[in-house]
Amino acid sequence: MVKVKILPDKENASAEVAQELYDLIVEKPDAVIGVATGSTPELAYELLAEKVKANNIDVSQLQFFALDEYINLPWDHPESYHSVINRTVTVPLGVDPSQVHVPEAPDDAAEGPVRYYDEQIEAAGGIDVQLLGIGRNGHIGFNEPGTPFDAPTHVGRLTDMTRQDNSRFFDSVEEVPPLAVTQGIGTILKSRKAILMAFGDAKADAIRDSLAQPPAEERPGSGLQLHSDCIFYLDEAAAAKVDSELLKVN
Ligand code: F6R
């Protein structure tokens, strides 16, 4: 079941998401939060850190699980998700690095399941809130079109479109690693709540395909229709291709 909230812009949507996370942290100081990288959640993380600092909230018992990580990119590379999560979540919130988990697989990893990460998530009590962005082709995490909806954390191959899109963080597209370890859609569906954010017209097709058609593995975002408690926070541009009749139902 997916609820949809359309805000005028990214600033308003990010403020609402930051407030949801803040409320969770205040209510449950040992909450387990799934964190995405990419451009989309950056402002929400900033706003959350401001609130946490301003109100002197204890963050020492929180746990964070990143969605994904490139394979064959050194962790100290500025664009590894170890580095990105450290820069956008760990340091601004003032949590100890031991509270933050990022999936790992050996550099010579073959495509396929990497189950220890799901076990770690389970041992932490499961994810209370999983944050997500979405790719132009509908990927969530690095679950590219065709990934089974019951996939556990696994090593998968990035599509050319995803490598092209992520090349803005690198000097060239060749530098974007072709393989990544990612929470599976099955992992994401086990979270108690999922929050997907999407901003800008480049995401409008992916959002329409996630909401307006039945769940199908060629449209990874549509798998979230199978989630028990999922909300999409969209700006008007990302929501532009979603039928208003459908939004009334939601
Ligand atoms: C990031 C991730 C990806 C991104 C997606 C959108 O951890 O798993 O699914 O959320 O590629 O990226 P941005 O936000 O940069 O448009």
Side-chain angles (χ1 to χ4, degrees):
M1 152 85 186
V2 179
K3 282 191 233 152
V4 179
K5 212 156 178 195
I6 302 171
L7 283 302
D9 51 33
K10 173 180 173 164
E11 286 67 29
N12 280 278
S14 301
E16 289 220 10
V17 171
Q19 186 66 45
E20 269 213 44
L21 292 172
Y22 178 80
D23 292 344
L24 169 70
I25 292 174
V26 169
E27 191 185 314
K28 189 173 180 193
D30 59 350
V32 180
I33 300 175
V35 280
T37 52
S39 308
T40 307
E42 283 177 352
L43 181 57
Y45 294 149
E46 260 178 53
L47 298 173
L48 173 65
E50 276 172 23
K51 265 180 203 292
V52 161
K53 289 266 147 81
N55 295 289
N56 227 345
I57 301 300
D58 174 22
V59 293
S60 64
Q61 297 170 65
L62 296 173
Q63 291 214 63
F64 295 87
F65 284 87
L67 256 181
D68 39 23
E69 175 60 292
Y70 293 112
I71 290 179
N72 228 337
L73 192 68
W75 294 350
D76 60 0
H77 187 288
E79 295 307 330
S80 80
Y81 289 170
H82 280 80
S83 299
V84 174
I85 289 294
N86 192 55
R87 207 159 57 227
T88 59
V89 176
T90 314
V91 171
L93 275 177
V95 298
D96 190 86
S98 64
Q99 295 168 249
V100 183
H101 313 272
V102 180
E104 284 156 21
D107 284 349
D108 58 356
E111 289 175 63
V114 178
R115 292 185 195 277
Y116 82 91
Y117 199 60
D118 299 80
E119 286 160 15
Q120 256 185 23
I121 291 173
E122 224 162 277
I127 289 180
D128 290 301
V129 170
Q130 175 66 58
L131 293 173
L132 298 165
I134 190 164
R136 282 194 299 140
N137 65 358
H139 71 234
I140 52 175
F142 277 131
N143 294 279
E144 298 282 29
T147 307
F149 283 163
D150 61 357
T153 296
H154 63 280
V155 172
R157 190 166 288 277
L158 275 55
T159 60
D160 290 345
M161 183 193 273
T162 299
R163 289 183 76 207
Q164 195 65 52
D165 285 348
N166 287 7
S167 67
R168 70 189 192 280
F169 298 114
F170 294 83
D171 290 335
S172 69
V173 69
E174 289 73 36
E175 277 186 30
V176 183
L179 292 178
V181 53
T182 180
Q183 284 190 34
I185 297 180
T187 317
I188 293 167
L189 290 177
K190 283 189 190 150
S191 57
R192 283 187 272 283
K193 179 166 190 170
I195 296 179
L196 182 142
M197 285 177 271
F199 308 131
D201 52 13
K203 302 293 173 71
D205 286 345
I207 292 300
R208 179 201 54 213
D209 291 351
S210 300
L211 294 174
Q213 299 197 55
E217 290 172 356
E218 317 83 86
R219 301 185 289 275
S222 70
L224 293 168
Q225 293 176 34
L226 307 174
H227 197 287
S228 55
D229 185 5
C230 178
I231 182 161
F232 281 23
Y233 281 95
L234 309 175
D235 67 0
E236 282 170 5
K241 294 188 177 169
V242 181
D243 199 307
S244 54
E245 284 307 306
L246 184 92
L247 294 176
K248 266 186 227 152
V249 177
N250 281 298

